[in-house]
């Protein structure tokens, strides 16, 4: 684990106007979390490239997500937001006396897709002709016992504790459990069920992308594997993955890049080539757009100790 302060500012044009939040990041081997502390009234917007789960630990925010009506977000509330949705946060109630405190867990999209894949395999073995997919346009707010059921406070304690290989495994297990509890609690809201199982071709196309991250698979080839038209391919990808085939592939490349930066000593130029980028500069630009860090910065902050790499 490594924690570092990051000051989030409100901006007008290109000028920093005032301090809004103090952010401390916590890194495990395959996941990350952040604690936000706010004591200055302001209004900010966010857009994350991965799904997030936010746990408000103190204060009250006024929120708008994906163009929704404004709603109050109270202490103890939990919110799940898929990638790409704009989050508008009114921090007008923050003050030196009553700061707003929030924990945020970023979930790599591949982790979410892996959980859904295991769920679908289990349903298939049980004889259900149904496939579950995440509704990438929907967010959810949990309150009271429903929010407490996710046990996010204890998950954050793990992130902030001593780091060893067992702690990282415990974090991943607990994070998966929180995601499953969330899906079970809000299945009717967050999951789309396809009762016809017509997505098998799309799964084959997604598998082709996953197995060929080092090259850019054309939509013509993907449509041929999926046994469908290119137009239907795009519709089905948006339905099951919330994005286009090209962006889906880039998302997987970024996930694999982060994994290899954490776990290997491979030069960045080698990673860029093996993940299908034209050169290291192109890779670095795309990586920074996704994570906010250069590959070198990301590796330095999240690199596992040598004894954990060799364990």
């Amino acid at each position: 684990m490594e924690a570092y302060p990051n000051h989030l500012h409100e901006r007008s044009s290109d000028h920093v106007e005032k301090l809004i939040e103090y952010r401390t990041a916590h890194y495990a081997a395959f996941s990350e979390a952040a604690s936000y502390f706010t004591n200055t009234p302001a209004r900010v917007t966010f857009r994350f490239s991965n799904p997030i789960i936010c746990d408000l630990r103190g204060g009250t925010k006024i929120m708008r997500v994906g163009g929704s009506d404004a709603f109050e977000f109270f202490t103890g509330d939990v919110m799940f937001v898929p990638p790409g949705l704009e989050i508008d946060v009114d921090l007008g109630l923050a003050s030196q006396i009553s700061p707003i405190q929030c924990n945020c867990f970023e979930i790599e999209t591949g982790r979410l897709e892996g959980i859904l894949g295991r769920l679908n395999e289990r349903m298939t073995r049980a004889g259900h002709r149904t496939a579950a997919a995440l509704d990438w346009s929907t967010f959810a707010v949990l309150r009271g016992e429903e929010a407490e059921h996710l046990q996010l406070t204890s998950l954050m304690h793990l992130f902030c504790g001593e780091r060893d290989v067992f702690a990282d495994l415990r974090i991943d297990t607990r994070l998966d459990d929180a995601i499953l509890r969330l899906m079970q609690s809000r299945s009717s809201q967050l999951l789309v069920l396809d009762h016809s199982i017509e997505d098998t071709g799309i799964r084959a196309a997604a598998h082709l992308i996953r197995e060929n991250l080092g090259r850019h698979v054309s939509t013509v080839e993907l449509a041929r594997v999926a046994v469908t038209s290119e137009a239907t391919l795009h519709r089905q990808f948006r339905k099951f993955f919330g994005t286009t085939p090209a962006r889906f592939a880039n998302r997987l490349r970024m996930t694999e890049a982060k994994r290899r930066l954490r776990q290997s000593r491979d030069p960045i130029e080698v990673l860029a080539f093996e993940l299908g980028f034209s050169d290291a500069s192109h890779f670095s630009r795309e990586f920074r757009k996704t994570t906010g860090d250069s590959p070198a910065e990301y590796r330095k902050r999240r690199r596992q100790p040598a004894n954990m790499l060799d364990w």
Side-chain angles (χ1 to χ4, degrees):
M1 178 191 71
E2 181 182 356
Y4 70 100
N6 180 37
H7 297 92
L8 174 66
H9 296 81
E10 184 177 31
R11 296 180 181 270
S12 175
S13 299
D14 294 324
H15 303 288
V16 175
E17 295 199 337
K18 58 184 176 181
L19 176 68
I20 295 173
E21 293 193 317
Y22 185 89
R23 175 180 182 267
T24 303
H26 312 276
Y27 303 114
F30 304 105
S31 51
E32 59 188 79
S35 304
Y36 293 89
F37 180 91
T38 311
N39 57 20
T40 304
R43 185 168 176 174
V44 295
T45 58
F46 298 94
R47 194 187 299 269
F48 289 87
S49 59
N50 284 313
I52 61 167
I53 299 178
C54 292
D55 179 20
L56 191 60
R57 305 312 306 159
T60 301
K61 299 180 181 182
I62 308 299
M63 310 286 293
R64 294 174 176 83
V65 180
S68 72
D69 293 335
F71 61 91
E72 292 181 308
F73 194 51
F74 299 105
T75 299
D77 290 353
V78 169
M79 180 169 60
F80 168 80
V81 183
L85 289 187
E86 184 175 87
I87 307 170
D88 185 307
V89 187
D90 186 342
L91 301 165
L93 297 177
S95 68
Q96 296 285 341
I97 299 174
S98 300
I100 296 174
Q101 302 175 67
C102 184
N103 293 332
C104 182
F105 304 89
E106 185 171 354
I107 308 164
E108 289 190 345
T109 304
R111 176 188 294 273
L112 214 57
E113 291 169 350
I115 291 174
L116 283 170
R118 296 197 300 272
L119 177 63
N120 286 328
E121 288 173 6
R122 180 64 61 89
M123 289 194 296
T124 299
R125 287 199 298 269
H128 300 290
R129 292 189 56 78
T130 302
L134 191 71
D135 185 341
W136 297 93
S137 65
T138 301
F139 70 98
V141 177
L142 290 69
R143 307 184 192 276
E145 292 183 1
E146 190 179 31
E148 293 175 4
H149 190 56
L150 269 60
Q151 301 179 359
L152 298 178
T153 301
S154 59
L155 175 58
M156 181 56 81
H157 287 330
L158 287 175
F159 269 101
C160 296
E162 293 295 324
R163 178 67 67 248
D164 58 30
V165 68
F166 296 102
D168 285 329
L169 289 172
R170 291 175 64 200
I171 285 172
D172 287 335
T173 300
R174 291 293 302 279
L175 186 55
D176 285 353
D177 182 63
I179 294 169
L180 286 168
R181 288 170 185 261
L182 172 69
M183 289 182 178
Q184 185 177 23
S185 176
R186 292 299 182 91
S187 59
S188 61
Q189 180 181 1
L190 297 177
L191 298 182
V192 176
L193 297 180
D194 188 334
H195 299 285
S196 63
I197 305 295
E198 294 177 351
D199 65 312
T200 51
I202 300 305
R203 290 178 182 171
H207 179 75
L208 180 64
I209 292 173
R210 287 191 178 95
E211 295 300 309
N212 293 274
L213 294 181
R215 69 182 180 93
H216 293 265
V217 184
S218 69
T219 54
V220 173
E221 185 176 353
L222 291 172
R224 183 168 62 248
V225 168
V227 194
T228 189
S229 67
E230 291 184 60
T232 300
L233 177 83
H234 277 270
R235 286 197 302 272
Q236 290 293 301
F237 258 82
R238 287 196 176 278
K239 176 181 177 180
F240 285 96
F241 301 112
T243 190
T244 64
R247 289 176 179 170
F248 175 80
N250 195 59
R251 188 186 288 170
L252 292 178
R253 289 188 183 96
M254 291 299 105
T255 296
E256 178 63 11
K258 288 191 285 187
R259 185 190 70 79
R260 292 184 61 178
L261 286 168
R262 288 190 302 254
Q263 297 183 331
S264 79
R265 300 179 178 85
D266 295 337
I268 290 172
E269 292 79 7
V270 172
L271 292 182
F273 174 77
E274 293 183 350
L275 290 174
F277 292 92
S278 56
D279 53 44
S281 296
H282 180 207
F283 169 57
S284 295
R285 287 195 303 271
E286 291 299 316
F287 192 86
R288 186 181 288 278
K289 281 195 291 187
T290 300
T291 67
D293 290 330
S294 71
E297 291 168 341
Y298 184 92
R299 168 172 274 169
K300 181 179 179 180
R301 288 175 177 159
R302 296 156 176 84
R303 181 69 176 269
Q304 299 174 50
N307 64 331
M308 290 177 62
L309 288 171
D310 300 332
W311 189 79

